[in-house]
Amino acid sequence: MKCPCNPSVNYKACCAKVHKNISKALTPEMLMRSRFSAFVLGNGSYLMKSWNTNTRPINEEADIVAWSKSVQWSHLEIIHAGEEVVEFIAHYAENGIKQTIHEKSLFKKENGHWTYLKAL
């Protein structure tokens, strides 16, 4: 299976490693890519684990997974990746209409691994 974050790479050689062990995300960009793949795959437990506990929504995992499975994900574009900030565009279609999420995300380390903190 190709990796959702980068179709030129096999999932097992890319995001699967991070989904199994979040500490394998050595940079904010790696965590961002793994989160995109988790959205595509509907991996809610990983999305919650990779979300900083200070901003993680409570009791919304099922809703997030339901939405992520209701859209058709196309691809991820990394615009810029810095020390704690990643700017990206996630492309998807909802009800046949092409959409994007364009965000600058802030990442912070928590418990020794990178987590998504918030959109800037």
Side-chain angles (χ1 to χ4, degrees), residues 55-105:
T55 56
R56 179 187 306 152
I58 299 171
N59 300 322
E60 293 182 32
E61 181 178 341
D63 292 338
I64 291 168
V65 170
W67 176 78
S68 75
K69 289 182 173 184
S70 75
V71 301
Q72 296 74 49
W73 296 96
S74 171
H75 64 283
L76 175 68
E77 251 182 283
I78 301 294
I79 306 301
H80 175 76
E83 288 184 32
E84 292 186 331
V85 176
V86 177
E87 181 179 3
F88 69 91
I89 302 173
H91 298 263
Y92 66 98
E94 189 167 17
N95 299 319
I97 300 168
K98 290 182 180 181
Q99 310 252 359
T100 61
I101 299 169
H102 186 174
E103 182 177 301
K104 286 183 182 178
S105 297

Coordinates of all heavy atoms in Angstrom, one line a residue, residues 55-105:
T55 N -4.6 20.8 24.3 CA -5.6 21.2 23.3 C -6.4 20.1 22.7 O -7.3 20.4 21.9 CB -4.9 22.0 22.2 OG1 -3.9 21.1 21.6 CG2 -4.2 23.3 22.7
R56 N -6.2 18.9 23.1 CA -6.9 17.7 22.5 C -8.4 17.8 22.9 O -8.7 18.0 24.1 CB -6.3 16.4 23.1 CG -7.0 15.2 22.6 CD -6.4 13.9 23.4 NE -5.0 13.8 23.3 CZ -4.3 13.2 24.2 NH1 -4.8 12.7 25.3 NH2 -2.9 13.2 24.1
P57 N -9.2 17.6 21.9 CA -10.7 17.6 22.2 C -11.0 16.4 23.0 O -10.5 15.3 22.8 CB -11.3 17.6 20.8 CG -10.3 17.1 19.9 CD -9.0 17.4 20.5
I58 N -12.0 16.5 23.9 CA -12.4 15.4 24.8 C -13.7 14.8 24.1 O -14.6 15.5 23.7 CB -12.7 15.9 26.2 CG1 -11.4 16.5 26.8 CG2 -13.2 14.8 27.1 CD1 -11.6 17.2 28.1
N59 N -13.7 13.5 24.1 CA -14.9 12.8 23.6 C -15.3 13.1 22.2 O -16.5 13.1 21.8 CB -16.1 13.0 24.5 CG -15.8 12.5 25.9 OD1 -15.2 11.5 26.1 ND2 -16.3 13.2 26.9
E60 N -14.3 13.5 21.3 CA -14.7 13.8 19.9 C -14.0 12.9 18.9 O -14.1 13.1 17.7 CB -14.3 15.2 19.6 CG -15.1 16.3 20.4 CD -14.8 17.7 20.0 OE1 -14.4 18.0 18.9 OE2 -14.9 18.5 20.9
E61 N -13.3 11.8 19.4 CA -12.6 10.9 18.5 C -13.6 10.3 17.5 O -13.3 10.3 16.3 CB -11.9 9.8 19.3 CG -11.2 8.8 18.4 CD -10.4 7.8 19.2 OE1 -10.2 7.9 20.4 OE2 -10.1 6.7 18.6
A62 N -14.7 9.8 17.9 CA -15.7 9.2 17.0 C -16.1 10.1 15.9 O -16.3 9.8 14.7 CB -16.9 8.6 17.8
D63 N -16.4 11.4 16.3 CA -16.8 12.4 15.3 C -15.7 12.7 14.3 O -16.0 12.8 13.1 CB -17.3 13.7 16.0 CG -18.6 13.5 16.8 OD1 -19.3 12.6 16.5 OD2 -18.8 14.3 17.7
I64 N -14.5 12.8 14.8 CA -13.4 13.1 13.9 C -13.2 11.9 12.9 O -13.0 12.1 11.7 CB -12.1 13.3 14.7 CG1 -12.2 14.7 15.5 CG2 -10.8 13.3 13.8 CD1 -11.2 14.9 16.6
V65 N -13.2 10.7 13.4 CA -13.1 9.5 12.5 C -14.2 9.5 11.5 O -14.0 9.2 10.3 CB -13.0 8.2 13.4 CG1 -13.1 7.0 12.5 CG2 -11.7 8.2 14.2
A66 N -15.4 9.7 12.0 CA -16.6 9.7 11.0 C -16.4 10.7 9.9 O -16.6 10.4 8.7 CB -17.9 9.9 11.8
W67 N -16.0 11.9 10.3 CA -15.8 12.9 9.2 C -14.6 12.5 8.3 O -14.7 12.6 7.1 CB -15.5 14.3 9.8 CG -15.2 15.3 8.8 CD1 -16.0 15.9 7.9 CD2 -13.9 15.7 8.3 NE1 -15.4 16.7 7.0 CE2 -14.0 16.6 7.3 CE3 -12.6 15.4 8.7 CZ2 -13.0 17.2 6.6 CZ3 -11.5 16.0 8.1 CH2 -11.7 16.9 7.0
S68 N -13.5 12.0 8.9 CA -12.3 11.7 8.1 C -12.7 10.5 7.1 O -12.1 10.5 6.0 CB -11.1 11.3 8.9 OG -11.3 10.0 9.5
K69 N -13.6 9.7 7.5 CA -14.0 8.6 6.6 C -15.1 9.0 5.6 O -15.3 8.3 4.6 CB -14.5 7.4 7.4 CG -13.3 6.7 8.1 CD -13.9 5.5 8.9 CE -12.7 4.6 9.4 NZ -13.2 3.4 10.1
S70 N -15.7 10.1 5.8 CA -16.8 10.6 4.9 C -16.3 11.4 3.7 O -17.1 11.7 2.8 CB -17.8 11.4 5.7 OG -17.3 12.7 6.0
V71 N -15.0 11.7 3.7 CA -14.4 12.5 2.6 C -13.4 11.6 1.9 O -13.0 10.6 2.3 CB -13.8 13.8 3.1 CG1 -14.7 14.7 3.9 CG2 -12.5 13.5 4.0
Q72 N -13.1 12.1 0.6 CA -12.2 11.4 -0.2 C -10.9 12.2 -0.2 O -10.8 13.2 -0.8 CB -12.7 11.2 -1.6 CG -14.0 10.3 -1.7 CD -15.2 11.0 -1.2 OE1 -15.5 12.2 -1.6 NE2 -16.0 10.4 -0.3
W73 N -9.9 11.7 0.5 CA -8.6 12.4 0.6 C -7.8 12.3 -0.7 O -7.8 11.2 -1.3 CB -7.8 11.8 1.7 CG -8.5 12.1 3.0 CD1 -9.3 11.2 3.7 CD2 -8.4 13.3 3.8 NE1 -9.8 11.8 4.9 CE2 -9.2 13.1 4.9 CE3 -7.8 14.5 3.6 CZ2 -9.4 14.1 5.9 CZ3 -8.0 15.5 4.6 CH2 -8.8 15.3 5.7
S74 N -7.2 13.3 -1.2 CA -6.4 13.3 -2.4 C -4.9 13.3 -2.1 O -4.3 12.3 -2.4 CB -6.8 14.6 -3.2 OG -5.9 14.7 -4.3
H75 N -4.4 14.4 -1.5 CA -3.0 14.4 -1.2 C -2.6 15.5 -0.3 O -3.5 16.4 0.0 CB -2.2 14.5 -2.5 CG -2.4 15.8 -3.3 ND1 -3.5 16.1 -4.0 CD2 -1.6 16.9 -3.4 CE1 -3.4 17.3 -4.5 NE2 -2.3 17.8 -4.2
L76 N -1.4 15.4 0.2 CA -0.9 16.4 1.2 C 0.2 17.2 0.5 O 1.1 16.6 -0.2 CB -0.3 15.7 2.4 CG 0.4 16.5 3.4 CD1 -0.6 17.5 4.1 CD2 1.1 15.6 4.5
E77 N 0.2 18.5 0.7 CA 1.3 19.4 0.2 C 1.9 20.0 1.4 O 1.2 20.7 2.2 CB 0.7 20.5 -0.6 CG 0.9 20.5 -2.1 CD 0.2 21.7 -2.7 OE1 -1.0 21.7 -2.8 OE2 1.0 22.7 -3.0
I78 N 3.2 19.9 1.6 CA 3.9 20.6 2.6 C 4.5 21.8 2.0 O 5.3 21.8 1.1 CB 5.1 19.7 3.2 CG1 4.6 18.4 3.8 CG2 5.9 20.5 4.3 CD1 3.7 18.6 5.0
I79 N 4.0 23.0 2.5 CA 4.5 24.3 2.0 C 5.8 24.7 2.6 O 6.7 25.1 2.0 CB 3.4 25.4 2.2 CG1 2.1 24.9 1.7 CG2 3.9 26.7 1.7 CD1 2.0 24.6 0.2
H80 N 5.8 24.5 4.0 CA 7.1 24.9 4.7 C 7.1 24.1 6.0 O 6.1 23.9 6.7 CB 7.1 26.4 5.0 CG 8.2 26.8 5.9 ND1 9.5 26.9 5.5 CD2 8.3 27.0 7.3 CE1 10.3 27.2 6.5 NE2 9.6 27.3 7.6
A81 N 8.2 23.6 6.3 CA 8.4 22.9 7.6 C 9.6 23.5 8.4 O 10.7 23.5 7.9 CB 8.7 21.4 7.4
G82 N 9.3 24.0 9.6 CA 10.3 24.6 10.4 C 10.5 23.9 11.7 O 10.1 22.7 11.8
E83 N 11.1 24.5 12.7 CA 11.4 23.8 13.9 C 10.2 23.4 14.7 O 10.2 22.4 15.3 CB 12.3 24.7 14.8 CG 13.7 24.9 14.2 CD 14.6 25.7 15.1 OE1 14.4 25.7 16.4 OE2 15.5 26.4 14.6
E84 N 9.2 24.2 14.7 CA 7.9 23.9 15.4 C 6.7 24.1 14.6 O 5.6 23.8 15.1 CB 7.8 24.7 16.7 CG 8.9 24.3 17.8 CD 8.6 25.1 19.1 OE1 8.1 26.2 19.1 OE2 9.0 24.5 20.1
V85 N 6.8 24.7 13.4 CA 5.6 25.1 12.6 C 5.7 24.4 11.3 O 6.8 24.3 10.6 CB 5.6 26.6 12.4 CG1 4.4 27.0 11.5 CG2 5.4 27.3 13.7
V86 N 4.6 23.8 10.8 CA 4.5 23.2 9.5 C 3.3 23.8 8.8 O 2.2 23.9 9.4 CB 4.3 21.7 9.6 CG1 4.1 21.1 8.2 CG2 5.5 21.0 10.3
E87 N 3.5 24.4 7.6 CA 2.4 24.9 6.8 C 2.1 23.8 5.8 O 3.0 23.3 5.1 CB 2.8 26.2 6.2 CG 1.7 26.8 5.3 CD 2.0 28.1 4.6 OE1 3.2 28.6 4.8 OE2 1.1 28.7 4.0
F88 N 0.9 23.5 5.6 CA 0.5 22.4 4.7 C -0.9 22.7 4.1 O -1.6 23.6 4.5 CB 0.4 21.1 5.4 CG -0.8 21.0 6.4 CD1 -2.0 20.5 6.0 CD2 -0.6 21.4 7.7 CE1 -3.1 20.5 6.9 CE2 -1.7 21.4 8.6 CZ -2.9 20.9 8.2
I89 N -1.1 22.0 3.0 CA -2.4 22.0 2.3 C -2.8 20.6 2.2 O -2.1 19.8 1.6 CB -2.4 22.7 1.0 CG1 -2.0 24.2 1.1 CG2 -3.8 22.7 0.4 CD1 -1.8 24.9 -0.2
A90 N -4.0 20.2 2.8 CA -4.5 18.9 2.7 C -5.7 18.9 1.7 O -6.6 19.7 1.8 CB -5.0 18.3 4.0
H91 N -5.6 18.1 0.6 CA -6.6 18.2 -0.4 C -7.6 17.0 -0.3 O -7.1 15.9 0.0 CB -5.9 18.1 -1.8 CG -5.0 19.2 -2.1 ND1 -5.4 20.3 -2.9 CD2 -3.7 19.4 -1.7 CE1 -4.4 21.1 -3.0 NE2 -3.3 20.6 -2.3
Y92 N -8.8 17.3 -0.4 CA -9.9 16.2 -0.3 C -11.1 16.7 -1.0 O -11.2 17.8 -1.5 CB -10.2 16.0 1.2 CG -10.8 17.1 1.9 CD1 -12.2 17.1 2.1 CD2 -10.1 18.1 2.4 CE1 -12.8 18.2 2.8 CE2 -10.7 19.2 3.1 CZ -12.0 19.2 3.3 OH -12.6 20.3 4.0
A93 N -12.1 15.8 -1.2 CA -13.4 16.1 -1.8 C -14.4 15.7 -0.8 O -14.4 14.6 -0.2 CB -13.5 15.4 -3.1
E94 N -15.4 16.6 -0.6 CA -16.6 16.3 0.3 C -17.8 16.4 -0.6 O -18.0 17.5 -1.1 CB -16.6 17.2 1.5 CG -17.6 16.8 2.5 CD -17.3 17.6 3.8 OE1 -16.6 18.6 3.8 OE2 -17.9 17.1 4.8
N95 N -18.6 15.4 -0.6 CA -19.8 15.4 -1.5 C -19.5 15.8 -2.9 O -20.2 16.5 -3.6 CB -20.9 16.3 -0.9 CG -21.3 15.8 0.5 OD1 -21.5 14.7 0.7 ND2 -21.5 16.8 1.4
G96 N -18.3 15.3 -3.4 CA -17.9 15.6 -4.8 C -17.3 16.9 -5.0 O -17.0 17.2 -6.2
I97 N -17.2 17.7 -4.0 CA -16.7 19.1 -4.2 C -15.3 19.1 -3.6 O -15.0 18.8 -2.5 CB -17.6 20.1 -3.4 CG1 -19.0 20.1 -4.0 CG2 -17.0 21.5 -3.5 CD1 -20.0 20.9 -3.2
K98 N -14.3 19.6 -4.5 CA -12.9 19.6 -4.1 C -12.8 20.7 -3.0 O -13.3 21.8 -3.1 CB -12.0 19.9 -5.2 CG -11.9 18.8 -6.2 CD -10.9 19.1 -7.3 CE -10.9 17.9 -8.3 NZ -9.9 18.2 -9.4
Q99 N -12.0 20.4 -1.9 CA -11.8 21.2 -0.8 C -10.3 21.2 -0.4 O -9.6 20.2 -0.8 CB -12.7 20.8 0.4 CG -14.1 20.6 0.1 CD -15.0 21.6 0.6 OE1 -14.5 22.5 1.3 NE2 -16.3 21.5 0.4
T100 N -9.9 22.1 0.4 CA -8.6 22.1 1.0 C -8.6 22.6 2.5 O -9.5 23.3 2.8 CB -7.6 23.0 0.2 OG1 -8.0 24.3 0.3 CG2 -7.4 22.5 -1.2
I101 N -7.7 22.1 3.2 CA -7.4 22.6 4.5 C -6.0 23.2 4.4 O -5.0 22.5 4.2 CB -7.4 21.5 5.6 CG1 -8.8 20.9 5.7 CG2 -7.0 22.1 7.0 CD1 -8.8 19.6 6.6
H102 N -5.9 24.5 4.5 CA -4.6 25.2 4.4 C -4.3 25.8 5.8 O -5.1 26.6 6.3 CB -4.6 26.3 3.4 CG -3.3 27.0 3.2 ND1 -3.1 27.9 2.2 CD2 -2.1 26.8 3.8 CE1 -1.8 28.3 2.2 NE2 -1.2 27.7 3.2
E103 N -3.3 25.3 6.4 CA -3.0 25.6 7.8 C -1.6 25.7 8.1 O -0.7 25.0 7.5 CB -3.7 24.5 8.7 CG -3.5 24.7 10.2 CD -4.2 23.6 11.0 OE1 -5.5 23.4 10.8 OE2 -3.6 23.0 11.8
K104 N -1.2 26.6 9.0 CA 0.1 26.6 9.7 C -0.2 26.0 11.1 O -1.0 26.5 11.9 CB 0.6 28.0 9.8 CG 1.1 28.6 8.6 CD 1.7 30.0 8.8 CE 2.1 30.6 7.5 NZ 2.7 31.9 7.7
S105 N 0.5 24.9 11.3 CA 0.2 24.2 12.6 C 1.5 24.3 13.5 O 2.6 24.3 13.0 CB 0.0 22.7 12.3 OG -1.1 22.5 11.6

